Amino acid sequence: MNLSLQNFSTLVSNSAAAAQGACSALLDFTTGSVARALMEANATVALWIQYQIVQVLSITRLSTSFGSDVDTWIAQYGVSRLGATAATTVETFICLSPESSSAVVPVGAVVKTSDGSISFTVTQDSTNEYWSDTASGYVRPQGVASVTCPVQCNINGSAGNVSAGVINLLGTQISGIDTCTNLSDVSNGSDEETDAAVKNRMVLWFSSLSSATLTAVEAAISGVASNLTYQIVENQTPDGLYRGGYFFATIDDGSGDVPDTTLSSVERAIEATRACGVETSTLRASVIQATVIVPVTLAAGVQLTSVQTAVSNAITTYVNALPVGDVCQYTTVSSIALQAAGSLVASMGVVTVNGVVADIGGTTGSVVRIASVTVTNSGA
């Protein structure tokens, strides 16, 4: 609906014209006159009423709502905004003199980033080879230098997405453990669902109400968590064989290793949506590791670490955001590296991904995730 809005001057002018047209005598609308003061007062009230009308019109439609108005709009359908999710990763706990004693890394132990600003807590994983129900933690046997166990960020959101090697402080002193580190980048923490994401999900949700369609399954999966990507394959098994009346969904949460709880949540969401007689499976996406090497010639006075940080962060952000089934494009990786390096380098050599100059990924049920990004100084 298009509203014919008027500004203050137009409102005053139109009011004066209407009043003069209805009066046989000449009215005084000069500045300071009583008639003009009344017209200006009325115009002020009219502007306020116009504003209220515009506000009401904007929040009656989801596409023009924002912030809390989006939340109240979707709440009438029993839908709520997806919250932020905490980043998870695996932490390696190291003993410098492993022959002298054993150690237990307890559930609840805290590790921190190098600046101490972000902390992670050790969580339970009974499938871990070092887990002990008796000790309620992960046991490092005598003679074993390190144990690896899962940790979860203590704050929700993308703030927990840190680079490899950054989580290297012990927040809890553990006898028999001297230091710790994360060997891979953390990338599966996500912020609260944005207004745009909510609106896109609601479109899927409304489209899914009529029947158990592909759109309905997509809406069910996207409603589980805000950090999920997925690929749905119909009438085909994960082995590539034809199977009518069957589909499978492969998912990833940005980490390359979806937790069992998330996998179960997606299975339940699909089960509530699928048509009767249709068989389904929910699988973790198979991970294709990407090792990127960027040769550069540094600009005068620039340290290699500065280029490494800028390029690594930019490439990691791109690759770890790729959805399941997408291709990691070599040209995009190369372009991102060049833009991130900018004036820090005098020139850039041939970027390689897994040792070649080619795209990777794009196969059914696979997802590309960063293994490492290395910047080398070819001008040294």
Side-chain angles (χ1 to χ4, degrees), residues 155-227:
I155 56 173
N156 293 337
S158 59
N161 295 339
V162 297
S163 301
V166 170
I167 312 172
N168 54 20
L169 294 180
L170 288 170
T172 300
Q173 294 303 313
I174 305 172
S175 177
I177 298 296
D178 299 306
T179 186
C180 60
T181 188
N182 59 309
L183 299 178
S184 59
D185 294 336
V186 186
S187 59
N188 63 337
S190 63
D191 296 322
E192 182 181 66
E193 195 174 20
T194 63
D195 287 351
V198 172
K199 293 173 184 179
N200 290 337
R201 184 161 62 87
M202 285 302 294
V203 171
L204 280 177
W205 186 78
F206 279 118
S207 300
S208 72
L209 295 179
S210 60
S211 57
T213 61
L214 175 61
T215 303
V217 176
E218 291 176 337
I221 296 174
S222 63
V224 172
S226 58
N227 60 344

Side-chain angles (χ1 to χ4, degrees), residues 236-263:
Q236 180 180 310
T237 68
D239 297 329
L241 302 176
Y242 175 78
R243 182 177 175 183
Y246 168 86
F247 71 87
F248 67 93
T250 53
I251 63 171
D252 186 66
D253 63 354
S255 67
D257 186 17
V258 180
D260 290 338
T261 53
T262 303
L263 201 67

Side-chain angles (χ1 to χ4, degrees), residues 34-73:
V34 174
R36 180 163 183 149
L38 288 172
M39 297 303 174
E40 289 179 343
N42 288 337
T44 302
V45 174
L47 282 177
W48 176 78
I49 293 174
Q50 276 190 164
Y51 171 77
Q52 296 299 318
I53 293 172
V54 170
Q55 287 293 97
V56 170
L57 182 63
S58 68
I59 63 176
T60 55
R61 302 178 69 246
L62 179 60
S63 62
T64 52
S65 297
F66 58 91
S68 60
D69 290 330
V70 171
D71 295 318
T72 54
W73 200 97

Side-chain angles (χ1 to χ4, degrees), residues 66 119 126 171 351:
F66 58 91
S119 59
S126 56
V351 177

